[in-house]
Amino acid sequence: MASVSVPSKITLQFLLLAMSLNLVFAGRVLQEQETMLFQYHKGPLLMGKITINLIWYGNFRPSQRAIVSDFITALSSPRSQVQPSVATWFSSTQKYYNLIKATNSVKLVAGSQILDEQYSLGKSLKMQQIEQLAAKGDQLNAINVVLTSSDVAVEGFCTSKCGTHGSLHSKSTVAKGSNNQKFAYIWVGNSETQCPGQCAWPFHQPLYGPQSPPLVAPNNDVGMDGMVINLASLLAGTVTNPFGNGYYQGPATAPLEAASACPGIYAKGAYPGYAGNLLVDSATGASYNANGVNSRKYLLPALYDPTSNSCSTLV
């Protein structure tokens, strides 16, 4: 299971002293970066048409749900949309497939949405309950995304992670007997009230480290725009390392994946505490690097380019 992690105070204070270390808020972790190359561990990548099902747990306004659902739709929108685009960002994952000479690639499409507005499992969840929620979505050729609202406490949320991805054995009768008896899932929490300085940077001042002014969120919602950053990071990690034996570097217990290997980088010129030279909406002052559907704009993390062994940004 791979997570989008949060930094500790001691780790932050120590690592900020060293030039060879990276401050991570986009990946939400601070850790030493060694010279490591991405390795393919012989496991399957997600291929073909993969449906993304959204499980909304708790209190989300329709306008908040639209921010995420529009992002999902934009992942597979025509490349002819206004550039730089969400679709162009996601297309960078194709390089991972090319390296192993895969006969197929992946296309993410919007699926069903499940609303659990009555907090059926309460407002304090263990990871086992997150998995229980993830299992509610369709499991065949799918990624089930559990999104918890700002008033829901999740085991490890804000203390060690902002979100995570993993896989579960499918209970689908269709999947039984097929080659794919697992399905991937993602969980991301809304950090607006619990830990925006850790999980919604750069739209909120960081809890520790360089105190640059926060950026204006492109959809005017710090919590939801922060969730999109984390969701994007985890989606890139899920398609290229869905079952823990795909592409990653470092130990399997704490892997650096397609996005988490590029901590805190959103545009060229990024450095610890600075997201990079982003685009700015002249009307709203919001910072972004990707255009989506319905005239939306998003901030998405850099992705590791396995062909050049470097972090690639849209701008």
Side-chain angles (χ1 to χ4, degrees):
M1 180 183 294
S3 301
V4 180
S5 308
V6 299
S8 69
K9 182 176 180 180
I10 293 176
T11 303
L12 276 163
Q13 291 175 334
F14 175 77
L15 295 184
L16 284 173
L17 298 176
M19 292 298 292
S20 62
L21 305 183
N22 287 327
L23 174 64
V24 180
F25 285 105
R28 310 305 197 259
V29 64
L30 259 175
Q31 62 186 59
E32 185 174 355
Q33 291 286 312
E34 299 177 1
T35 302
M36 295 184 293
L37 300 181
F38 253 77
Q39 293 184 346
Y40 175 54
H41 298 267
K42 309 301 182 182
L45 310 187
L46 293 188
M47 294 188 184
K49 183 179 177 181
I50 301 294
T51 301
I52 300 180
N53 303 307
L54 302 177
I55 298 101
W56 300 93
Y57 188 84
N59 181 26
F60 289 96
R61 299 187 300 276
S63 59
Q64 291 181 313
R65 296 198 298 270
I67 293 171
V68 174
S69 59
D70 282 353
F71 167 67
I72 298 302
T73 299
L75 289 167
S76 59
S77 292
R79 295 280 296 279
S80 59
Q81 65 183 266
V82 178
Q83 297 296 322
S85 70
V86 172
T88 299
W89 171 83
F90 183 71
S91 69
S92 296
T93 60
Q94 179 63 42
K95 295 179 180 180
Y96 290 84
Y97 293 79
N98 294 343
L99 279 180
I100 60 172
K101 296 179 172 57
T103 57
N104 200 355
S105 58
V106 64
K107 180 180 181 181
L108 301 182
V109 298
S112 62
Q113 299 193 39
I114 298 173
L115 303 184
D116 188 337
E117 300 176 297
Q118 302 304 315
Y119 305 88
S120 63
L121 300 178
K123 291 188 175 184
S124 181
L125 305 180
K126 301 290 187 182
M127 286 310 301
Q128 184 177 5
Q129 292 170 303
I130 293 294
E131 294 176 354
Q132 184 179 338
L133 290 170
K136 289 186 175 183
D138 294 334
Q139 298 174 8
L140 181 63
N141 298 323
I143 301 173
N144 290 340
V145 179
V146 178
L147 302 156
T148 52
S149 60
S150 58
D151 56 348
V152 175
V154 177
E155 180 182 14
F157 186 38
C158 295
T159 59
S160 64
K161 57 187 171 232
C162 306
T164 193
H165 80 86
S167 62
L168 296 169
H169 286 284
S170 176
K171 295 180 180 179
S172 169
T173 56
V174 178
K176 287 181 179 179
S178 69
N179 292 326
N180 184 10
Q181 296 185 20
K182 287 185 176 181
F183 71 95
Y185 75 91
I186 291 172
W187 159 72
V188 182
N190 186 334
S191 65
E192 181 179 11
T193 58
Q194 297 187 51
C195 55
Q198 294 163 289
C199 295
W201 185 86
F203 302 128
H204 190 282
Q205 280 193 286
L207 188 59
Y208 309 112
Q211 295 296 302
S212 301
L215 304 180
V216 177
N219 294 286
N220 198 33
D221 191 312
V222 170
M224 297 307 298
D225 279 299
M227 288 186 85
V228 168
I229 292 175
N230 291 315
L231 175 56
S233 177
L234 290 164
L235 277 172
T238 298
V239 299
T240 57
N241 186 33
F243 308 121
N245 54 2
Y247 277 103
Y248 65 86
Q249 58 177 272
T253 53
L256 290 179
E257 299 176 327
S260 59
C262 297
I265 301 173
Y266 296 92
K268 292 178 176 61
Y271 55 81
Y274 177 62
N277 303 319
L278 296 166
L279 302 174
V280 178
D281 188 304
S282 59
T284 64
S287 295
Y288 70 101
N289 61 7
N291 293 281
V293 299
N294 297 324
S295 300
R296 288 197 186 276
K297 296 176 172 60
Y298 296 99
L299 185 62
L300 304 179
L303 294 181
Y304 188 85
D305 184 338
T307 62
S308 64
N309 298 316
S310 63
C311 293
S312 176
T313 61
L314 284 171
V315 296

